[in-house]
Amino acid sequence: MTGTSVEQQVAWAETSVLVVAAPERCVLEVTGSERLSWLNGLLTCDLTTRQVGDAVHGLAVAQKGKIVTDVVVVLDETRALLVVQRATVDALVASFEHHLMMEDAELSRSLREVAFLHGPRAGEALASARRAGGTGGAFDATGHGGAVVITDASGDGSWARAAADVSGGVGDPQGWEVVRVLAGVPRFGVDFDDATYPQEAALETKAVSFQKGCYLGQEVVCMLEMRGHVKQKLVSLVVDGAELPAAQSPVEDGKGATVGKVTSVVRAPTGGIRALAMVKYAFIASGTELAVGSHVARVV
């Protein structure tokens, strides 16, 4: 089934499963007996406590703590599959290879396709995709349930058939944009980038372990968490009015001072406008009343 409207796609994501292909992502494959311990020293997530079949959300951060890219790591018996941003893969590979010394680990690029499953029946769709030859693991980006599926590059559409098996459907970029903004899911290159700390992107509770051992950039990330806070943070806004503000529109406080900017904005299927915005830390509390243009915007 193919989504005929944004409303239908939002419904699939909330009640069954919405499949979203991710052509902006590519896959790196890591093999070798020390692959997990090596990756654990390069990513913010903890891989040592995870099992075959898991999918783990993490970040690669630079020495000074800023995000290089977000990563989803899928584990199987003999390898770790890293789902990464295609736009950042060259820089990521160069950084990883620079930190590959004597470890028994080998990094290579893999010609595979990636799709994300969103919704409470994503687990059933993942099982169906696995039976069709795909691999993947549970990965809940929206809070409604979810998974990531990796298939070969044949374009056989196993993940699309998996969605149909559980009365879901395949989404498009427009539908996914609405789903992710409603759920407060930040997008690399839009809501955050390589000049952003994990805490600024509101990813510290989803993609960072503060109990694991050392990793590249850990000192800065942990200091921000333990000794204070960042100067700005990504928040969700409900914007009054019928006019859709443009991305990058300034966000103001009640006195007309600019305190941030809109990064993503959509019209909700039920009416109203929802947005993501990077705002100064003093204004991130839920219920804070701000303004976007002439319209009231409330942090939620």
Side-chain angles (χ1 to χ4, degrees):
M1 300 174 67
T2 300
T4 56
S5 67
V6 169
E7 290 80 3
Q8 177 65 77
Q9 293 178 61
V10 171
W12 279 331
E14 293 178 349
T15 63
S16 55
V17 64
L18 175 71
V19 177
V20 182
E24 76 283 1
R25 298 270 186 167
C26 61
V27 178
L28 298 175
E29 184 173 306
V30 184
T31 56
S33 63
E34 296 178 304
R35 62 188 180 279
L36 295 186
S37 59
W38 176 64
L39 285 172
N40 218 50
L42 296 171
L43 299 174
T44 60
C45 55
D46 190 353
L47 299 174
T48 62
T49 61
R50 309 310 289 260
Q51 300 177 345
V52 170
D54 285 346
V56 190
H57 190 192
L59 304 168
V61 298
Q63 189 70 50
K64 294 184 178 180
K66 293 187 177 180
I67 297 169
V68 175
T69 189
D70 61 318
V71 181
V72 179
V73 184
V74 177
L75 305 178
D76 73 8
E77 291 86 351
T78 60
R79 61 196 169 166
L81 298 174
L82 278 59
V83 178
V84 303
Q85 299 287 342
R86 194 176 296 276
T88 65
V89 67
D90 290 339
L92 185 66
V93 168
S95 174
F96 277 15
E97 289 182 340
H98 177 73
H99 291 92
L100 182 56
M101 303 298 182
M102 301 297 292
E103 298 87 355
D104 180 19
E106 183 175 350
L107 176 69
S108 61
R109 304 191 190 211
S110 178
L111 295 177
R112 295 175 183 270
E113 294 183 344
V114 179
F116 290 94
L117 317 181
H118 307 284
R121 302 190 69 180
E124 298 169 66
L126 172 61
S128 178
R130 283 172 169 167
R131 288 193 294 270
T135 187
F139 173 66
D140 185 2
T142 66
H144 297 299
V148 58
V149 172
I150 301 170
T151 66
D152 62 31
S154 65
D156 66 355
S158 59
W159 41 262
R161 293 196 300 274
D165 286 347
V166 294
S167 302
V170 179
D172 57 34
Q174 292 75 28
W176 167 237
E177 182 72 1
V178 174
V179 169
R180 78 165 187 89
V181 173
L182 290 177
V185 179
R187 179 180 173 187
F188 185 85
V190 176
D191 304 296
F192 70 101
D193 56 23
D194 58 6
T196 312
Y197 292 108
Q199 289 90 340
E200 292 178 320
L203 290 171
E204 73 276 14
T205 61
K206 299 178 180 180
V208 179
S209 170
F210 292 101
Q211 286 75 48
K212 64 175 286 185
C214 294
Y215 60 86
L216 184 67
Q218 180 190 38
E219 183 177 359
V220 176
V221 174
C222 287
M223 284 181 62
L224 285 171
E225 189 71 14
M226 307 302 177
R227 299 185 183 179
H229 56 73
V230 289
K231 295 180 180 179
Q232 60 180 358
K233 197 174 186 74
L234 194 71
V235 298
S236 293
L237 299 177
V238 173
V239 183
D240 292 347
E243 182 181 354
L244 204 67
Q248 304 303 310
S249 294
V251 177
E252 299 178 344
D253 65 7
K255 301 178 182 178
T258 298
V259 297
K261 65 180 179 180
V262 171
T263 56
S264 295
V265 60
V266 298
R267 196 178 305 279
T270 55
I273 297 169
R274 294 292 297 271
L276 299 179
M278 189 71 74
V279 302
K280 292 181 178 180
Y281 191 85
F283 300 91
I284 69 170
S286 181
T288 300
E289 190 168 293
L290 302 167
V292 177
S294 59
H295 302 297
V296 172
R298 296 176 181 84
V299 178
V300 295

